[in-house]
Amino acid sequence: MAVNGDTETVVRRLRDGMAGGVLSFPLTSFHDDGSLDPAGFRTHVAARIATAPGAVFPACGTGEFFSLDEDEYRTVVTVAVEEAAGRVPVVAGVGYGWAQAARFARIAEEAGADALLVLPHYLVAAPQDGLVAQLEQLAARTRLPLIAYQRGQVAFTASSLRRIAEIPGVIGLKDGHSDLDRLQRLTLAAPEGFLFFNGASTAEIQARAYATVGVPAYSSAVHAFAPEIANAFFTALHDRDGDDKTIEKLLRDFYVPLVELRDRVPGYAVSLVKAAARLRGQPVGPVRAPLTDPSAADLAELTTLLTTGLDLVGAAL
């Protein structure tokens, strides 16, 4: 893993951060008419940072990156950097083909982001050589460290993992496939110091399994609306003596029912999170099309579930 001094600092900060807290993926705030709400986003991201996450990842999947134009993206990343104020690393999402990803990367650099999460490219399937070339092209056009994200049509082999780890500036991999056999092969193929992140949907469900193959760090969508629950789960998971009772209670009574509700409608992985944040008084607004906000019946079920989860950790709606 070829890194310079600045990249080494980012790697160290990310490693320290992910050992001490969940990775937070804030929501992007919109007004009811669908326009960006910078003030709402500032309030939301500041509240996330105040609960001591390991890092903050603005304008990624949960943050509806795919719905932002370049000016809106600049605003979102700038606000996140300003609110973080150096307290936690800021990793901005970039995506599409490498040419467009490089445009977003330049904006993130100018806004002061620490690193980039390279979201899966748009639409087409690609061979391993192409997946590697995508990162090579982007890395050549930005000074910021890159974290590859394998999900959907992007899945690296162990051989390709070795190749991307040799690209200057590529520092880690976020996994959203939950194929633990493949992931174990990737962690064994990686050079020392290469970072791995559990990026499964509602990652807490599989956090213990990921940790067994050497990937304890994970992103938490729940942190976007209930940091009390997310942090309680993280603390129990990292308890030196293993707080399995708390873990299993939270999984059984909150996380599993949340996943069952999430899987009911396409896009609920984002829109349910936004709805829950609104229930907590966060000014995040609606989702943008093609996503849709939850139905009244599903929102009522979410309210009951959120109340139950908060009660489990001694918090209130």
Side-chain angles (χ1 to χ4, degrees), residues 3 12 15 39 41 95 103 128 171 183 206 210 290:
V3 296
R12 176 183 53 77
R15 183 177 292 110
F41 179 69
R103 292 173 64 93
Q128 292 293 308
I171 63 172
L183 186 58
Q206 300 183 63
Y210 267 81

Side-chain angles (χ1 to χ4, degrees), residues 195-234:
L195 302 176
F196 284 91
F197 307 87
N198 168 3
S201 295
T202 316
E204 287 90 344
I205 291 286
Q206 300 183 63
R208 287 190 291 188
Y210 267 81
T212 64
V213 296
V215 185
Y218 61 90
S219 56
S220 175
V222 170
H223 190 268
F225 64 86
E228 306 96 325
I229 299 173
N231 289 341
F233 186 93
F234 183 90

